[in-house]
Amino acid sequence: MPGLQYFSFTELWSPLFLALLLLLTAGYFVLIGPLASRFEGSTAVPFWRRGLFLCGMLALYLAQGGPVSLLGHILFSFHMVSMALSYLVAVPLIMLGIPDWCWRALLRVNPLKGLAFLAKPVVAALLFNGLFSLYHIPAIHDYVMLHFTVHRLYYGVLFLTSALMWWNLINPLPEYRALSGLGQVGFIFLNMVLLTPACGLIIFASSPLYATYSDPGTWAKAMGYCVPQSPAALLQAFGGPGFFGSLSPKVDQQVGGIVMKFIQEFIFASMLAYVFYHWYKKENGQEDTDVSASPSALAEEV
């Protein structure tokens, strides 16, 4: 995109965030390698599972640390790409990369047992989709984008509630499984429906909703958390977000809403087809085991 050449390597690629993710990735390989023998029931982690974890961390880096993250502060359409990569792609891939014996050890931690109700299907769906929709109310979105600590906290909570939502679909532990077959089909439909109002508001709004992407002064203040330049210097150099794209704020906003809804529909429709197929086979006696209970079995078949 025009203008990105004016940003430094650090601003574009966030090396500190990359270092953090590399450290977490190294910890993952130490956990499933040298430390695995300390866990009850531990087994060798197959390459496909390791690959899913790495893909998830890569998606998270691209969304929150790479150029997509910077562009997400410039154009609303890239903001929505960042959100989709973070919570609809990275989270399930990272979760699928964690072996079942790690999950069992984690869920034995006493404080987590008291929070088990948050993972109940309806609660988890309402939490994630509710917080996502709340975030995209214009006044709240602009406030979060202009306050760095609130921004990081809110994104962290969205990450956790996304994991709770995905747990009901890719949970590999039968003893913790609340849904299977038709229940998962209904849960997928519920999530598809809950996100629709927020995307509809964004797509069909008659004017730009977010000052962060339409008002140069507000945009420059929000950009201050990505680049070390002052708002005044940013305005003098670029004039506003319009410098970086040919789309008007309204069209950029509409594109963002469409992109988010399309990615969500594609991911959940794919899972819906998989779950329904195996549920149908099981109901007709064509499967001996309840593989439909967790779409994570899909990766096992590869």
Side-chain angles (χ1 to χ4, degrees):
M1 291 186 65
L4 287 189
Q5 66 269 25
Y6 296 108
F7 295 103
S8 69
F9 176 85
T10 299
E11 293 162 356
L12 280 172
W13 297 102
S14 305
L16 287 178
F17 185 68
L18 175 60
L20 173 62
L21 292 189
L22 289 175
L23 184 63
L24 292 174
T25 302
Y28 166 80
F29 280 99
V30 170
L31 181 67
I32 67 172
L35 297 182
S37 59
R38 301 186 181 185
F39 292 85
E40 180 182 349
S42 62
T43 57
V45 178
F47 285 108
W48 65 261
R49 195 178 288 279
R50 302 181 189 191
L52 290 176
F53 184 88
L54 290 175
C55 288
M57 296 299 276
L58 176 61
L60 184 61
Y61 169 68
L62 291 175
Q64 298 294 334
V68 173
S69 177
L70 178 61
L71 288 169
H73 283 74
I74 298 172
L75 297 172
F76 185 80
S77 51
F78 277 92
H79 162 75
M80 283 307 220
V81 170
S82 174
M83 298 292 281
L85 281 175
S86 298
Y87 308 120
L88 300 181
V89 178
V91 171
L93 288 176
I94 291 172
M95 292 176 69
L96 286 169
I98 299 174
D100 54 358
W101 47 268
C102 278
W103 284 118
R104 286 192 173 93
L106 176 64
L107 293 174
R108 290 193 195 103
V109 178
N110 286 328
L112 292 179
K113 294 179 181 179
L115 300 175
F117 73 96
L118 295 176
K120 292 184 179 297
V122 174
V123 175
L126 290 175
L127 273 176
F128 173 69
N129 291 285
L131 286 172
F132 183 91
S133 299
L134 183 68
Y135 175 52
H136 287 95
I137 294 174
I140 294 176
H141 179 273
D142 288 336
Y143 180 86
V144 171
M145 292 292 283
L146 290 171
H147 296 81
F148 182 75
T149 301
V150 177
H151 183 273
R152 290 304 182 200
L153 288 173
Y154 206 107
Y155 273 43
V157 171
L158 277 176
F159 190 91
L160 293 175
T161 55
S162 172
L164 291 172
M165 182 270 291
W166 280 106
W167 178 254
N168 288 281
L169 292 173
I170 58 178
N171 169 15
L173 308 179
E175 65 269 30
Y176 289 99
R177 196 170 291 152
L179 297 173
S180 63
L182 193 57
Q184 286 189 328
V185 171
F187 183 74
I188 292 172
F189 271 118
L190 176 62
N191 281 278
M192 294 170 74
V193 169
L194 286 174
L195 200 60
T196 299
C199 291
L201 171 68
I202 292 167
I203 295 169
F204 297 109
S206 58
S207 61
L209 297 174
Y210 306 104
T212 308
Y213 300 101
S214 58
D215 176 67
T218 306
W219 169 80
K221 291 179 182 178
M223 282 292 290
Y225 297 119
C226 299
V227 298
Q229 302 178 52
S230 67
L234 286 169
L235 286 175
Q236 183 177 5
F238 305 115
F243 179 86
F244 300 92
S246 58
L247 298 179
S248 67
K250 178 182 175 182
V251 174
D252 174 50
Q253 179 178 290
Q254 292 172 330
V255 171
I258 292 170
V259 165
M260 183 66 192
K261 191 58 181 170
F262 175 80
I263 294 175
Q264 189 225 23
E265 294 283 345
F266 176 79
I267 291 174
F268 281 119
S270 300
M271 295 194 69
L272 182 65
Y274 174 77
V275 170
F276 185 82
Y277 171 72
H278 283 284
W279 171 74
Y280 177 81
K281 287 180 65 177
K282 180 176 181 292
E283 289 297 307
N284 286 272
Q286 298 178 38
E287 289 188 352
D288 296 328
T289 59
D290 188 16
V291 296
S292 67
S294 175
S296 62
L298 174 62
E300 307 257 4
E301 298 173 0
V302 177

